[in-house]
Amino acid sequence: MEIDGNRVVDKESLVENLKSRFRDQAAIPKEQLIDFLKLFYADAKQSTLDWRLHELARDGVLIRTGWGYYALNTRRQFSPSLPKDLRWIGDQIKAELPYTDYCVWDTRVLADFMIQQPMNFIQLVEVERVAVSSTHNLLQNRGAISEHNLGSIYFYEDWMTLSHHIVSTNNPIIIRPLVGEAPLQQEKQYKTASLEKIIVDIIADQDLFYAFQEELAYIIRSAFEKYVINRDKLRRYARRRNKIEKVDYFLFQLPPNYQPYDS
């Protein structure tokens, strides 16, 4: 309970009403939430209403999904587990190239969003462009392939040439440049790809991620249903990669309650 002027506000009732009111709405504009809060805090100033909204986000009732948009916290935060070989690679990069920005992830994270499971997966080691050769040499010189039972290591360009000639390699490790300002996330002590980055990449790099193209729309829909996705972050990265039209094409195939509101 708390006092708003001469009124007693039951916060539990507020939260229950909030969940009932917006339960079928995946993206809730701030203006709608402010109008809702006015029903409970009729005499409150705008600054007070903004603070009450901040409290709901701070307490985990709401999640910010983009600039001026929120969602009820009914979905999970994306938190992929990294296999030991990618953790080992991350350790080597941090130890030998400590000032290099990097990202390690693999396509096994997409299995949760698919109907048909791919037979093989690829592992991505993305580093700043100036460090691509150094990273490749580091892993080769350490004897990583034999000592740690890793997949074969390729430069991105070499792998694309081989894959076009239908060369079969199980679970290759592909080193490629990391796009500047790519949305990354920290998993324990390692940098990995956020779900926003993964979605844009599989749309943008169709030749690399060809095994996922038939289920692309289903993958994106499943990702939105299961996890919190920041549309602003996703579309900002899509613009960075000059793929905003392709990304928007898939976003607007989502069910109405998952449609993006921003433009």
Side-chain angles (χ1 to χ4, degrees):
M1 297 282 187
E2 60 184 28
I3 304 297
D4 174 45
N6 295 322
R7 298 177 59 204
V8 176
V9 177
D10 185 337
K11 293 192 72 173
E12 290 186 6
S13 175
L14 185 153
V15 171
E16 289 304 314
N17 277 272
L18 178 70
K19 291 179 178 179
S20 176
R21 166 66 178 81
F22 296 107
R23 63 186 176 188
D24 296 323
Q25 193 168 329
I28 312 169
K30 177 182 176 181
E31 292 79 9
Q32 289 186 15
L33 290 167
I34 292 296
D35 288 342
F36 171 84
L37 289 173
K38 287 178 180 177
L39 299 175
F40 289 82
Y41 303 101
D43 301 323
K45 297 178 180 179
Q46 182 64 41
S47 58
T48 301
L49 295 171
D50 288 338
W51 178 253
R52 298 304 181 196
L53 182 56
H54 168 76
E55 287 182 322
L56 290 169
R58 181 197 64 191
D59 295 340
V61 178
L62 294 171
I63 297 172
R64 293 181 178 86
T65 59
W67 181 257
Y69 289 92
Y70 295 77
L72 291 173
N73 189 7
T74 58
R75 287 165 285 162
R76 293 172 286 166
Q77 294 284 351
F78 182 66
S79 182
S81 60
L82 290 174
K84 64 179 181 179
D85 45 1
L86 287 184
R87 295 198 302 270
W88 183 86
I89 289 173
D91 288 336
Q92 304 312 303
I93 294 173
K94 288 188 296 179
E96 301 298 329
L97 303 168
Y99 302 108
T100 298
D101 203 9
Y102 78 96
C103 167
V104 290
W105 66 283
D106 69 19
T107 57
R108 277 178 287 201
V109 300
L110 294 169
D112 189 37
F113 310 130
M114 301 181 69
I115 298 173
Q116 298 186 27
Q117 299 297 301
M119 297 296 293
N120 295 310
F121 57 89
I122 58 177
Q123 302 175 94
L124 284 301
V125 178
E126 303 182 51
V127 295
E128 296 173 74
R129 186 174 296 276
V130 295
V132 168
S133 293
S134 298
T135 301
H136 184 273
N137 293 338
L138 169 66
L139 299 181
Q140 294 284 15
N141 292 341
R142 288 290 179 88
I145 296 176
S146 58
E147 181 181 351
H148 294 275
N149 195 30
L150 302 183
S152 299
I153 301 173
Y154 300 92
F155 286 114
Y156 171 75
E157 295 81 3
D158 293 342
W159 171 252
M160 295 309 298
T161 299
L162 290 171
S163 63
H164 287 158
H165 290 83
I166 320 179
V167 174
S168 178
T169 302
N170 290 331
N171 313 328
I173 296 169
I174 301 169
I175 302 174
R176 69 173 189 166
L178 177 65
V179 176
E181 300 180 23
L184 309 180
Q185 68 183 61
Q186 197 81 17
E187 289 298 321
K188 297 183 179 179
Q189 66 265 45
Y190 305 101
K191 289 183 182 179
T192 188
S194 67
L195 192 48
E196 291 86 357
K197 170 176 163 54
I198 292 170
I199 290 173
V200 173
D201 283 349
I202 62 175
I203 293 173
D205 302 316
Q206 294 187 5
D207 287 346
L208 178 59
F209 301 109
Y210 61 88
F212 307 97
Q213 297 308 306
E214 288 187 6
E215 292 193 40
L216 197 49
Y218 184 84
I219 289 170
I220 295 169
R221 174 173 176 166
S222 297
F224 269 83
E225 289 176 345
K226 294 180 178 182
Y227 295 100
V228 174
I229 296 176
N230 188 311
R231 292 174 176 81
D232 284 351
K233 185 186 297 184
L234 184 147
R235 299 184 76 248
R236 185 162 53 247
Y237 181 55
R239 288 193 185 95
R240 185 76 178 168
R241 300 214 56 193
N242 296 316
K243 298 296 180 180
I244 188 64
E245 292 183 359
K246 284 188 175 182
V247 168
D248 278 345
Y249 170 79
F250 284 100
L251 290 181
F252 282 103
Q253 292 186 51
L254 295 171
N257 63 322
Y258 284 97
Q259 290 284 1
Y261 285 81
D262 51 348
S263 59

